Amino acid sequence: QVQLVESGGGLVQAGGSLRLSCAASGRTFSTYVMGWFRQAPGKERAFVAAINWNSGNTDYADSVKGRFTISRDNAKNMVYLQMNSLKPEDTAVYYCAAKRTVVPGTSPSLYGYWGQGTQVTVSS
């Protein structure tokens, strides 16, 4: 049973930083891509960043490039999203997700496993 548990959300002022964590359990994730998505009220769930668990290769949405960094700790089965220079438009519920490496693309529909989400609110 795959389980993804996010933590680290909160309220921060614009320009501030937060680090989200995702604890992954239930299987070996070496053949998986781990992703972060976000969903703001009234909007669709959107891709933020992803990392290939085995190779460490990363991918980012244009809106967060240069501000957010995704990383993983293989020994701890943890995935992180370091968010710097936060903007009010980054306010959303952030979700950790996992998909098989052989499945290309960034659509949320390609990810089969999801966490419960953590709220990030950026005040202006």
Side-chain angles (χ1 to χ4, degrees):
Q1 181 78 10
V2 173
Q3 189 172 18
L4 304 174
V5 180
E6 304 97 333
S7 61
L11 173 64
V12 64
Q13 288 189 332
S17 298
L18 280 176
R19 188 177 83 154
L20 305 183
S21 299
C22 174
S25 62
R27 65 172 64 241
T28 300
F29 289 93
S30 59
T31 59
Y32 280 74
V33 170
M34 306 300 293
W36 285 98
F37 290 78
R38 65 187 181 186
Q39 189 166 18
K43 295 188 176 181
E44 295 186 352
R45 193 166 297 189
F47 172 74
V48 175
I51 186 166
N52 183 303
W53 195 284
N54 188 41
S55 67
N57 290 340
T58 58
D59 189 19
Y60 295 93
D62 288 343
S63 59
V64 306
K65 280 181 181 176
R67 300 189 299 122
F68 291 11
T69 302
I70 189 171
S71 62
R72 89 278 194 226
D73 184 327
N74 289 355
K76 296 181 179 179
N77 263 19
M78 296 289 294
V79 180
Y80 305 100
L81 185 68
Q82 177 66 42
M83 306 185 294
N84 299 328
S85 302
L86 282 161
K87 306 175 181 179
E89 51 263 43
D90 294 317
T91 295
V93 177
Y94 283 71
Y95 298 90
C96 178
K99 72 175 176 77
R100 295 294 303 274
T101 304
V102 296
V103 179
T106 60
S107 170
S109 65
L110 301 174
Y111 283 74
Y113 302 102
W114 292 86
Q116 83 287 351
T118 185
Q119 176 71 47
V120 171
T121 303
V122 184
S123 63
S124 57

